[in-house]
Amino acid sequence: MDRNKELFEVTSMFQTFMKTISRDFNKKSTSLNINQFKVLFIIDNSGSQTVSKLASALSISAAAVTGITDQLLSEGFVEKERCDNDRRIVNITITEKGKEKVNHLRAIKKEILQSYFDILPDEEIHHLKRIFTMLTTNL
């Protein structure tokens, strides 16, 4: 088969796979979408973050992050604080309620991922990791 056709098929299958995982996550988590979860996950793991750092980490615009964090703020999952030295900078911090939500969503994520990847032996998982490491190294 032609290499370009193979690559197109692989990328199409990967997109379908990722959309399906996102759809399943959104169904089970009901109150948060995948981007909201990613923001909470980053803040929970790395501590307080600026809007620009979150935008960079998620490869989305600062305006999109502002919309996401506004939704999380209204739910009580994060707090926003302006920097004393530069009022233009907004730091986003996770609340205790946000931490509880992250722990709950991690359990959902684990369940979903296991449901898809349990069919693969460990060796195939290692191959996937190696391949994606190679592909993402130079992004």
Side-chain angles (χ1 to χ4, degrees):
M1 184 182 291
D2 177 291
R3 182 175 170 86
N4 286 332
K5 187 174 181 180
E6 287 268 4
L7 292 173
F8 178 78
E9 287 181 14
V10 167
T11 57
S12 295
M13 288 187 289
F14 181 73
Q15 285 176 323
T16 300
F17 181 68
M18 293 306 297
K19 283 181 185 179
T20 302
I21 288 175
S22 290
R23 184 198 67 220
D24 288 352
F25 181 82
N26 288 339
K27 275 190 215 174
K28 290 191 176 209
S29 68
T30 62
S31 64
L32 294 182
N33 65 39
I34 195 74
N35 285 327
Q36 292 167 329
F37 171 69
K38 286 178 183 178
V39 166
L40 282 180
F41 184 80
I42 289 168
I43 297 169
D44 187 49
N45 283 338
S46 303
S48 181
Q49 299 287 308
T50 63
V51 170
S52 60
K53 282 185 182 176
L54 288 169
S56 176
L58 296 168
S59 299
I60 59 176
S61 69
V65 170
T66 298
I68 292 167
T69 55
D70 284 348
Q71 293 166 341
L72 294 171
L73 179 69
S74 71
E75 295 289 327
F77 296 130
V78 299
E79 294 175 343
K80 291 185 176 187
E81 298 174 2
R82 294 229 176 249
C83 179
D84 291 336
N85 299 336
D86 187 342
R87 303 288 295 157
R88 296 170 297 177
I89 298 174
V90 177
N91 291 307
I92 313 297
T93 308
I94 194 165
T95 63
E96 194 58 41
K97 182 179 178 182
K99 289 179 182 190
E100 291 170 8
K101 189 67 169 179
V102 166
N103 289 335
H104 173 71
L105 293 174
R106 278 187 175 130
I108 291 172
K109 180 181 170 188
K110 180 180 177 183
E111 175 188 324
I112 290 169
L113 291 177
Q114 283 179 336
S115 74
Y116 285 101
F117 287 100
D118 273 353
I119 63 168
L120 297 176
D122 288 346
E123 181 180 337
E124 296 294 340
I125 299 290
H126 294 298
H127 286 306
L128 279 174
K129 183 178 178 185
R130 182 184 53 77
I131 290 166
F132 283 115
T133 299
M134 288 173 58
L135 291 171
T136 59
T137 296
N138 295 317
L139 294 180

